[in-house]
Amino acid sequence: MEKIIVTGSCGFIGFNFINSLDETYEIIGIDSLNNAYDSRLKDLRLEHLKNISNFKFLKIDLSEKNEIENHLNSFNGAKTIVHLGARAGVRQSYLEPDKYIRDNTTATVNLALTAKNLSIENLVLASTSSIYGDTGNNLATENQDELNEPPSIYAATKAFGETLVRNVFSEEDEILKIGRFFTVYGPYGRPDMSILRFIHWIATNQEVIIYGNGEQRRSFTYVMDIVDGLNKLRHYNKSGTFNFGSNTTWSLIEIINKIENYLGKKANLVFRDRAYNDVDVVLPNLDNSKQKLDWQPFTDIDEGLEKTIEWYKSNESYLQKIKFKYDYEK
Ligand SMILES: NC(=O)c1ccc[n+]([C@@H]2O[C@H](COP(=O)([O-])OP(=O)(O)OC[C@H]3O[C@@H](n4cnc5c(N)ncnc54)[C@H](O)[C@@H]3O)[C@@H](O)[C@H]2O)c1
């Protein structure tokens, strides 16, 4: 039975990724269960994960070396590590920079060094389109030399996480595979991200907070397409960095209009200043992912939104307990 370690197992993408693995895997899920957003959503995901046979959960904060060392026995024999554990989000990174630095850089290099010592064959690292900054009319390409200055604290910590791991494994090791995800949405999503917040606020007749004028565009990517990318990455036999994003962008207002139609309700929009440098992400260049991994997004926005709303509705009573706003937003 192949052993696979998934960090950030109780997070949005980690949870969906683990659910894509069949029973031939021995899965070790690692998560610190931090309170970056309402941790009851992580509890819900963990409750479901515990029903998977061959799944074992370890509560580890990867930024603490001794916590990793205490559990090294459980790492032994693993061929692959999929590292999804991180702090995500631009706005919050300005309020808690220390936690972003710890969870996105210290934790990442601790894990990479552990992987190296254990002779792991495959390390899949989650990175983000946020590191591209404003690429103007150009598609965002993976070429490392063309990267601009990371445009936010979140982006800087993720970019530095990449750099640290590149200094642990060389290109020739053929071990490190990096996926740069564009804005991800879908079932079991994060309550601090726009699509799920919009669905919740419209469904429950609350004010819909928009930072800026709502015309900013995103390459919204359905989570199962990202999961497909992660599965292709872990089977890829070389090192490399790949974009995983949608080849269409949608504005926040366009997304809200679609959600209004699905729910048959009107949104009560409230506009607030866009205080942080939350760059309008342009489209990804997907040539590399298509050619080398045979990956492309297959879920269009209407199908993805419908599935997300169906999931929301079937979990509505539990989700009523979840906080969709940070304290500073009240
Ligand atoms: N969701 C998106 O739109 C998006 C876009 C681009 C990149 N990403 C990247 O994908 C990955 C997963 O994102 P997500 O949306 O599932 O986020 P998430 O916050 O839902 O999941 C991350 C999980 O990692 C855990 N974690 C954080 N620090 C840890 C530490 N020190 N030790 C152990 N566990 C720790 C958290 O408790 C959380 O459950 C992250 O690396 C993120 O940067 C996400």
Side-chain angles (χ1 to χ4, degrees):
M1 194 174 270
E2 186 180 327
K3 192 191 262 192
I4 182 166
I5 295 173
V6 183
T7 77
S9 57
C10 304
F12 166 36
I13 299 173
F15 170 81
N16 280 288
F17 171 69
I18 290 174
N19 274 299
S20 78
L21 298 172
D22 63 31
E23 64 282 358
T24 61
Y25 290 93
E26 180 185 352
I27 307 162
I28 309 291
I30 291 176
D31 204 297
S32 60
L33 298 176
N34 73 25
N35 62 355
Y37 55 79
D38 194 330
S39 62
R40 283 172 293 188
L41 203 49
K42 298 180 186 184
D43 298 339
L44 177 69
R45 297 181 189 124
L46 182 55
E47 213 174 284
H48 290 310
L49 290 176
K50 283 182 172 165
N51 293 326
I52 297 177
S53 60
N54 308 323
F55 173 81
K56 183 178 166 195
F57 177 65
L58 302 175
K59 186 172 184 296
I60 298 178
D61 182 338
L62 295 165
S63 68
E64 300 288 343
K65 253 185 16 222
N66 64 320
E67 289 195 25
I68 300 179
E69 274 154 19
N70 289 343
H71 288 93
L72 269 188
N73 274 350
S74 303
F75 284 64
N76 270 335
K79 221 172 105 178
T80 298
I81 298 182
V82 178
H83 181 44
L84 299 161
R87 274 195 193 239
V90 169
R91 183 164 275 266
Q92 198 63 16
S93 70
Y94 285 82
L95 302 175
E96 301 182 296
D98 51 333
K99 293 179 180 164
Y100 276 71
I101 293 166
R102 199 187 60 207
D103 287 336
N104 296 352
T105 67
T106 309
T108 297
V109 73
N110 282 347
L111 181 74
L113 288 168
T114 306
K116 178 101 176 171
N117 289 337
L118 294 173
S119 304
I120 288 283
E121 289 174 28
N122 245 327
L123 175 61
V124 176
L125 175 70
S127 188
T128 171
S129 62
S130 298
I131 68 176
Y132 286 120
D134 192 348
T135 58
N137 291 325
N138 299 325
L139 298 180
T141 58
E142 296 96 335
N143 190 345
Q144 198 60 23
D145 306 334
E146 288 174 8
L147 274 191
N148 297 324
E149 185 84 346
S152 68
I153 291 174
Y154 168 56
T157 60
K158 291 296 287 186
F160 190 43
E162 280 194 21
T163 305
L164 290 169
V165 180
R166 279 202 191 86
N167 280 284
V168 174
F169 295 101
S170 75
E171 184 88 15
E172 294 72 47
D173 287 340
E174 302 188 338
I175 286 174
L176 177 62
K177 295 105 205 248
I178 300 178
R180 292 188 184 146
F181 311 153
F182 287 60
T183 316
V184 190
Y185 74 99
Y188 291 90
R190 297 201 333 246
D192 59 328
M193 290 191 70
S194 57
I195 288 191
L196 204 55
R197 289 160 66 123
F198 293 160
I199 294 171
H200 176 69
W201 288 336
I202 297 171
T204 53
N205 308 311
Q206 295 183 59
E207 288 179 343
V208 174
I209 302 171
I210 297 181
Y211 292 98
N213 62 8
E215 296 302 333
Q216 58 269 47
R217 305 186 77 80
R218 293 278 177 275
S219 162
F220 289 106
T221 313
Y222 190 61
V223 66
M224 293 319 290
D225 286 337
I226 296 294
V227 165
D228 181 39
L230 287 169
N231 279 314
K232 290 193 159 138
L233 272 188
R234 74 186 174 88
H235 286 119
Y236 186 61
N237 57 11
K238 293 199 173 63
S239 294
T241 302
F242 298 91
N243 284 335
F244 296 118
S246 160
N247 38 21
T248 320
T249 57
W250 297 92
S251 74
L252 299 185
I253 295 289
E254 286 167 342
I255 294 291
I256 287 170
N257 289 340
K258 284 178 180 293
I259 298 171
E260 287 178 326
N261 286 339
Y262 280 118
L263 293 175
K265 284 186 168 188
K266 213 70 204 128
N268 175 13
L269 303 183
V270 175
F271 295 92
R272 297 211 180 144
D273 285 347
R274 236 174 124 183
Y276 296 97
N277 193 9
D278 199 1
V279 169
D280 282 351
V281 174
V282 288
L283 286 166
N285 182 333
L286 298 176
D287 291 350
N288 204 24
S289 310
K290 274 185 198 155
Q291 283 159 17
K292 294 188 181 149
L293 301 175
D294 191 26
W295 182 90
Q296 54 184 317
F298 55 81
T299 313
D300 77 25
I301 191 78
D302 291 302
E303 184 188 347
L305 278 179
E306 200 174 332
K307 285 184 173 154
T308 310
I309 291 171
E310 285 313 314
W311 168 79
Y312 176 87
K313 283 183 178 161
S314 55
N315 288 275
E316 206 159 7
S317 60
Y318 191 89
L319 292 169
Q320 299 313 310
K321 295 184 259 178
I322 302 289
K323 272 168 62 179
F324 281 78
K325 281 182 189 159
Y326 288 112
D327 291 340
Y328 66 82
E329 291 181 300
K330 281 177 190 149

